[in-house]
Amino acid sequence: MSTKFSGPIEQDPAIVNLLERMPPAVQASFSEEQLSHLRNAVSSRQWGHHPIDLRGTIPWLKYRYYYVILAGKNHRNMTRAQLRASRFVNALMFAGFMTFSAVIGLLLLYLLKSAAGIDLLPDYSFGIWDWFKS
């Protein structure tokens, strides 16, 4: 729905589409100013372009189901509860990333220690070095 239509408001594709879904008596009841405000309200609902935009259908039995996956930067204002949930998820993801990084780092340090022949606990092995060599 475009806001760049330059002809009469009654011929704007967004307005025509909107009015076609109304009874004729209701269509005729709008003033030019009201139609202009309706166009602005309808046209402001722009979905825009998303970095990830996957759409398709999946046939299953005798029906076809559709899916839409959109992802991109959120430009909407969030409520206080949504901000709190977003911060919690971000903190959880950060903690998971840090834990994963620490585990990988410790594993690499253990492999370097084993490769250098350093034996911190005599007569004990986790078996990681033997697994890595094989």
Side-chain angles (χ1 to χ4, degrees):
M1 295 181 193
S2 173
T3 59
K4 296 188 187 234
F5 182 76
S6 61
I9 188 77
E10 295 84 6
Q11 294 177 2
D12 185 315
I15 294 299
V16 170
N17 186 21
L18 183 67
L19 293 176
E20 283 176 349
R21 294 180 269 162
M22 297 180 188
V26 176
Q27 291 178 17
S29 69
F30 289 107
S31 70
E32 191 170 321
E33 182 182 3
Q34 289 172 325
L35 290 174
S36 176
H37 287 290
L38 279 173
R39 178 182 56 194
N40 290 341
V42 170
S43 298
S44 68
R45 189 175 172 191
Q46 297 174 358
W47 295 102
H49 298 285
H50 296 83
I52 298 174
D53 187 347
L54 301 173
R55 301 164 192 255
T57 58
I58 301 169
W60 191 57
L61 299 175
K62 65 178 186 173
Y63 299 104
R64 294 178 58 82
Y65 296 91
Y66 71 92
Y67 63 89
V68 177
I69 300 172
L70 298 174
K73 185 175 181 183
N74 186 6
H75 296 284
R76 298 176 297 171
N77 294 329
M78 294 196 295
T79 65
R80 185 173 285 191
Q82 289 172 328
L83 280 171
R84 196 174 321 126
S86 175
R87 288 184 186 128
F88 177 74
V89 169
N90 285 340
L92 200 61
M93 289 175 55
F94 181 73
F97 174 76
M98 293 304 289
T99 302
F100 177 77
S101 298
V103 168
I104 295 298
L106 288 172
L107 178 64
L108 289 174
L109 286 174
Y110 181 82
L111 290 173
L112 286 172
K113 172 205 76 77
S114 298
I118 301 170
D119 194 10
L120 298 176
L121 301 172
D123 301 325
Y124 184 79
S125 173
F126 289 112
I128 297 172
W129 178 247
D130 293 330
W131 168 80
F132 183 74
K133 285 193 311 185
S134 63

